[in-house]
């Protein structure tokens, strides 16, 4: 069984939280590796977290919308749809990524 299959059953909010948690752990680990570049165990964790983050971002991008420019697909009608996608902090319905609405109200560019 694929160890990342559980990403498919997560809600949008759960998947976004998972991506944020793994990204935080990976960033912290990379800072550690800046001062401990030969720590084999840390390198293994970095590889594991990188695979996990990439898999989660791929599932999120396929099921909801792209989070990063490298997870976006070019549309078939030869137009640039990146800006038309909802922002990750925009409320996408009950239980959306941002329940307070602060980011949408104060920082929306549309």
């Amino acid at each position: 069984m694929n160890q990342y299959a559980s990403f498919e059953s997560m809600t949008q909010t759960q998947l976004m939280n998972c991506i944020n948690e793994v990204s935080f752990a990976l960033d912290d680990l990379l800072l550690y590796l800046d001062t401990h570049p030969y720590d084999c165990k840390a390198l293994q964790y970095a590889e594991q977290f990188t695979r996990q983050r990439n898999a989660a971002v791929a599932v999120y991008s396929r099921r909801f919308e792209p989070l990063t420019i490298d997870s976006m697909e070019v549309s078939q009608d030869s137009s640039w749809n990146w800006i038309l996608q909802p922002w990750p902090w925009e409320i996408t319905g009950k239980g959306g990524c941002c329940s307070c609405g602060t980011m949408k109200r104060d920082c929306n560019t549309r």
Side-chain angles (χ1 to χ4, degrees), residues 55-103:
V57 168
V59 170
Y60 189 96
S61 297
R62 184 175 36 73
R63 288 184 53 208
F64 304 109
E65 63 265 346
L67 285 177
T68 59
I69 197 69
D70 59 328
S71 64
M72 196 206 98
E73 294 182 15
V74 176
S75 71
Q76 296 299 324
D77 63 357
S78 300
S79 64
W80 186 246
N81 292 330
W82 173 262
I83 194 66
L84 302 176
Q85 301 294 325
W87 296 97
W89 57 83
E90 287 183 319
I91 299 173
T92 58
K94 193 167 190 154
C97 294
C98 178
S99 59
C100 67
T102 302
M103 291 294 287

Side-chain angles (χ1 to χ4, degrees), residues 4-29:
Y4 304 120
S6 63
F7 293 147
E8 294 291 341
S9 63
M10 290 182 177
T11 66
Q12 184 175 9
T13 302
Q14 290 171 326
L15 192 52
M16 191 70 206
N17 287 340
C18 178
I19 291 167
N20 287 334
E21 290 168 7
V22 172
S23 296
F24 181 85
L26 185 57
D27 287 343
D28 201 42
L29 190 55

